């Protein structure tokens, strides 16, 4: 096994163990034993457990942020972009469950520090940029866009953490309900919400 292959092997093992037990519950001895190498090999590549953890987290953040940025950078109405970003997060949770567990384990969305919180801050900035124009077009104060961006991103991220464990209802249905609440508000909820790209929405309550 080449040095690069060994490094990738250790990253994969670390990712799985960190997801299962957290960084505090994982030891260098366990990482080395699982890889079939001695402890000095882990230190040689990463300087220790914390260095390996940092590499794993950086990869996960880059992958998730890239997916959400791509969703928010495309063409479409604000609602369409919101749908795409919501689905992008749920896609990531479904595809990279271990990675998402690592990101949220020690960085809940209610804190102002930590890797996941830092990532959400980047996403909030992008959402705010989109909301400014949408708010101005509708006569709302553009300066409130920052506050609403925090609300939207926090709601989606918290729901994503819940869905990580339940996996019910299906991903598209969760996304449709999230967008339904974000777009229509409680007083305008649709009876049977669907993503706009997948079909017409149901009738609205009381309207």
């Amino acid at each position: 096994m080449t040095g690069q292959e060994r490094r990738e092997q250790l990253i994969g093992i670390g990712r799985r163990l960190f997801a299962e037990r957290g960084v505090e519950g994982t030891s260098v001895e366990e990482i080395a034993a699982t890889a079939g190498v001695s402890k000095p090999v882990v230190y040689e590549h990463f300087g220790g457990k914390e260095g390996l953890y940092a590499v794993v987290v950086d990869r996960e953040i880059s992958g998730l942020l890239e997916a959400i940025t791509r969703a928010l950078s495309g063409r479409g109405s604000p609602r369409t972009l919101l749908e795409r970003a919501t689905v992008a997060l749920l896609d990531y949770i479904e595809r990279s469950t271990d990675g998402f567990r690592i990101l949220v384990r020690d960085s809940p969305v209610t804190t102002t520090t930590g890797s996941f919180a830092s990532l959400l801050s980047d996403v909030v900035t992008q959402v705010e940029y989109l909301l400014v124009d949408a708010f101005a077009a509708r006569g709302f104060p553009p300066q409130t866009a920052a506050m609403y961006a925090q609300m939207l991103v926090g709601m989606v991220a918290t729901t994503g953490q819940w869905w990580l464990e339940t996996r019910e209802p299906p991903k598209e249905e969760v996304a449709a309900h999230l967008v339904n609440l974000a777009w229509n508000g409680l007083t305008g909820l649709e009876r049977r919400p669907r993503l706009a790209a997948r079909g017409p929405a149901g009738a609205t309550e009381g309207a």
Side-chain angles (χ1 to χ4, degrees), residues 97-112:
T97 299
D98 281 352
F100 192 70
R101 287 188 192 280
I102 290 169
L103 291 182
V104 302
R105 182 185 293 274
D106 299 313
S107 302
V109 297
T110 53
T111 66
T112 56

Side-chain angles (χ1 to χ4, degrees), residues 37-191:
V37 300
S38 62
K39 287 169 53 179
V41 173
V42 179
Y43 287 109
E44 177 185 349
H45 281 279
F46 303 102
K49 177 179 67 175
E50 290 74 16
L52 173 57
Y53 180 75
V55 171
V56 171
V57 169
D58 283 346
R59 284 194 177 189
E60 296 302 325
I61 287 179
S62 296
L64 178 53
L65 186 58
E66 180 182 350
I68 295 177
T69 299
R70 188 165 54 246
L72 291 173
S73 300
R75 296 187 172 221
S77 66
R79 173 166 181 159
T80 297
L81 296 178
L82 175 60
E83 289 184 359
R84 290 175 184 165
T86 301
V87 171
L89 174 62
L90 297 179
D91 277 342
Y92 172 80
I93 295 173
E94 185 176 61
R95 183 181 67 253
S96 302
T97 299
D98 281 352
F100 192 70
R101 287 188 192 280
I102 290 169
L103 291 182
V104 302
R105 182 185 293 274
D106 299 313
S107 302
V109 297
T110 53
T111 66
T112 56
T113 60
S115 300
F116 191 50
S118 299
L119 179 146
L120 292 181
S121 178
D122 290 339
V123 176
V124 164
T125 300
Q126 297 182 55
V127 172
E128 179 185 351
Y129 176 78
L130 294 173
L131 289 182
V132 167
D133 289 340
F135 276 27
R138 290 166 174 77
F140 292 101
Q143 61 268 28
T144 61
M147 178 175 62
Y148 278 93
Q150 291 281 352
M151 295 175 186
L152 284 172
V153 173
M155 179 177 68
V156 174
T158 302
T159 303
Q161 291 189 50
W162 164 78
W163 189 73
L164 172 69
E165 304 300 336
T166 65
R167 298 304 175 98
E168 291 290 340
K171 175 179 60 183
E172 289 78 8
E173 186 175 340
V174 173
H177 282 284
L178 273 168
V179 175
N180 187 25
L181 177 59
W183 194 257
N184 296 307
L186 289 173
T187 59
L189 286 180
E190 299 161 348
R191 294 181 187 274

Side-chain angles (χ1 to χ4, degrees), residues 1-10 37 41 44-45:
M1 186 177 290
T2 66
Q4 184 61 35
E5 288 171 340
R6 179 67 73 189
R7 178 181 175 84
E8 291 301 319
Q9 179 204 27
L10 292 170
V37 300
V41 173
E44 177 185 349
H45 281 279

